[in-house]
Amino acid sequence: MATSAELHARRMAAVPRGIGHATQIYAKRAKNAEIWSEDGKRYIDFGAGIAVVNTGHQHPRILAAIEEQMKSFSHVCFQVTPHENYVSLAERLNAIAPVSGPAKTMLASTGAEAVENAVKVARFFTGRPGIISFSGGFHGRTHMGMALTGKAVPYKKGFGPFPADIYNVAFPNLYHGTSSAESIKALKAIFKYQADPSTIAGIIIEPVQGEGGFNIAPTDFLQALRAVCDEHGIVLIADEIQTGFARTGKMFGLEHSGVKADVVTMAKGLAGGLPLSAITGRADIMDASNPGGLGGTYAGNPIACAAAHTVLDIIKDEDLCARANAIGDIIQTRCRELAGRSNLNCIGDVRGLGAMCAVEFVKDTNSGEPAPELTAQVLKSGNERGLILLSCGTYGNVIRFLPPLTASDSLIKEGMDVFEASLTEAVSKLQ
């Protein structure tokens, strides 16, 4: 049996260094919210494959659905010989997505592919080229995804030039001094100085920024954005790739605001670990493209569709939206307690919706200066103590908590105990 260290040495020799590695923990097996490494060590998983296994690792109902579909066929290509699983999944997503009016859905394989197709349908429907995104946003690693992403390093540096007619606006973030009104003002300045609104096809936004630091879009801002889109005939695209499927305590993050999008992109938590994404939008927008203009060889893979149906069933049967809120309460309560301790003058902000929570580390709460070194040390200490955590944020100073929604209270509390010990150790090492 190879050790994690041995596998990491092989990885560095065989795999491009541009593929990052948050840990050097090589997974051997996983169950619900726990992972065991090749070395036999147990880890509490507070990453869930970056919000993918919301229903936990190896959920028995998902395994059964995959096995049952495998008995029939694994691939046929929907554009060649369609299958019922695709059609019925589209019907279910049409019914639940936060989209106004009758909806239609196309399936794809990855989040980046979903974003690409959302841009395609918005441009075709409006006949316009421009797309507006936000600072700190993350929308994928394709060239269009990178162009839309509002963080230069490591996602964009050295990969240009990028597609034209992409504009970026400051995301509202009161902790960092940008109000909703200021963000809307910056958006309208683009209309004055860079691109007339009649040239803008779509505005894409994450209801809660993922890589950007789990920054929550205020309700008044989303309402104002909806009004701007309505005024100028612009397609509002909600990127729900990380916020979707019960993660925020509702099926979709946009639901917290009551605002409806024109197009919604989904992936990650949709199929319980299998590669599947979806683009659900107003029927008139989705129908605008010519036949053959949309699709993909692996899009809507039947095994992934079977898993996705089961994920939707599990979310309902196990009430995972309520479970997300309960998990989030445990995490945020503990983080706020830690923020109040005089010996831990390093937590600048605690935020989150449901089980999509984060702490932002600073060198001290008076200056608010980002503390990426402390963040890295907390991650390292957590790994050593048996906890998998992920960082994010424009300055690399945010730790995000993304446990599977099927994790027990006792496991969440155990993980938070490890987090507290890791933070205390990290602070002492850097003093």
Side-chain angles (χ1 to χ4, degrees):
M1 181 180 71
T3 66
S4 288
E6 290 168 343
L7 284 171
H8 192 67
R10 288 166 53 188
R11 171 215 168 108
M12 297 307 289
V15 178
R17 70 185 186 94
I19 300 175
H21 49 274
T23 77
Q24 294 184 27
I25 299 164
Y26 283 73
K28 179 73 171 179
R29 63 185 179 92
K31 184 73 172 176
N32 198 2
E34 297 169 280
I35 294 175
W36 286 263
S37 73
E38 288 281 357
D39 308 295
K41 184 175 179 179
R42 167 193 177 257
Y43 294 86
I44 296 171
D45 183 11
F46 272 17
I50 316 184
V52 168
V53 288
N54 292 351
T55 49
H57 297 282
Q58 302 293 92
H59 196 293
R61 290 175 63 180
I62 296 175
L63 295 180
I66 291 169
E67 182 179 3
E68 189 62 27
Q69 177 58 46
M70 282 290 290
K71 294 176 183 177
S72 299
F73 52 90
S74 63
H75 174 77
V76 289
C77 187
F78 186 73
Q79 295 97 278
V80 179
T81 48
H83 52 94
E84 192 274 342
N85 261 354
Y86 185 121
V87 176
S88 56
L89 181 58
E91 290 170 338
R92 295 182 75 174
L93 295 176
N94 292 341
I96 65 174
V99 171
S100 58
K104 289 192 174 184
T105 292
M106 69 164 286
L107 301 179
S109 301
T110 69
E113 197 177 359
V115 168
E116 292 275 346
N117 280 282
V119 170
K120 284 171 64 175
V121 298
R123 283 177 163 172
F124 200 102
F125 176 74
T126 61
R128 305 170 180 178
I131 304 290
I132 294 172
S133 62
F134 293 88
S135 61
F138 179 82
H139 301 288
R141 299 174 191 270
T142 60
H143 265 73
M144 176 57 71
M146 288 188 291
L148 296 170
T149 290
K151 184 177 179 181
V153 180
Y155 303 118
K156 303 171 77 165
K157 183 179 179 181
F159 292 117
F162 301 110
D165 299 300
I166 306 297
Y167 308 92
N168 197 256
V169 174
F171 188 88
N173 186 331
L174 281 178
Y175 180 70
H176 288 284
T178 303
S179 68
S180 295
E182 288 170 324
S183 187
I184 290 295
K185 183 178 179 180
L187 171 64
K188 292 182 177 179
I190 284 180
F191 295 159
K192 288 291 184 183
Y193 303 121
Q194 297 187 59
D196 186 84
S198 65
T199 68
I200 302 299
I203 297 176
I204 185 167
I205 187 168
E206 299 163 280
V208 182
Q209 290 190 324
E211 294 295 319
F214 281 26
N215 306 307
I216 303 166
T219 293
D220 65 337
F221 177 72
L222 291 170
Q223 291 169 340
L225 210 56
R226 177 71 271 175
V228 167
C229 289
D230 290 341
E231 179 183 357
H232 298 292
I234 297 169
V235 175
L236 180 59
I237 304 168
D239 184 333
E240 293 269 7
I241 289 166
Q242 193 161 161
T243 49
F245 302 100
R247 173 52 59 181
T248 67
K250 292 185 181 292
M251 187 62 82
F252 297 100
L254 198 60
E255 293 181 62
H256 291 275
S257 68
V259 171
K260 300 284 189 180
D262 299 307
V263 175
V264 178
T265 61
M266 316 165 206
K268 290 191 182 293
L270 173 57
L274 274 67
L276 185 68
S277 61
I279 307 92
T280 300
R282 282 173 25 203
D284 57 338
I285 296 174
M286 299 300 290
D287 271 341
S289 306
N290 292 322
L294 304 175
T297 301
Y298 297 102
N301 172 270
I303 299 171
C305 287
H309 276 291
T310 309
V311 165
L312 295 178
D313 293 340
I314 291 168
I315 290 173
K316 179 181 178 182
D317 296 346
E318 299 185 16
D319 199 4
L320 292 189
C321 287
R323 184 71 199 129
N325 288 322
I327 289 172
D329 285 343
I330 295 171
I331 293 172
Q332 289 202 57
T333 297
R334 178 69 76 89
C335 289
R336 294 187 194 285
E337 289 174 355
L338 293 172
R341 295 187 186 178
S342 59
N343 65 324
L344 296 175
N345 185 34
C346 60
I347 296 179
D349 194 31
V350 177
R351 53 185 177 262
L353 284 179
M356 190 172 183
C357 310
V359 291
E360 182 160 349
F361 289 120
V362 292
K363 293 187 177 179
D364 64 78
T365 54
N366 290 325
S367 71
E369 185 180 349
E373 300 86 359
L374 174 62
T375 307
Q377 185 60 53
V378 173
L379 295 176
K380 182 175 183 293
S381 297
N383 287 174
E384 291 169 352
R385 292 171 180 269
L387 178 64
I388 296 172
L389 291 165
L390 298 170
S391 63
C392 61
T394 305
Y395 299 98
N397 67 319
V398 179
I399 283 183
R400 49 182 158 170
F401 300 89
L402 288 167
L405 306 181
T406 47
S408 66
D409 281 1
S410 61
L411 193 74
I412 297 296
K413 290 174 181 177
E414 181 187 353
M416 293 308 295
D417 288 343
V418 177
F419 171 71
E420 179 179 339
S422 302
L423 174 58
T424 303
E425 179 185 25
V427 169
S428 66
K429 282 187 175 181
L430 293 176
Q431 282 178 341

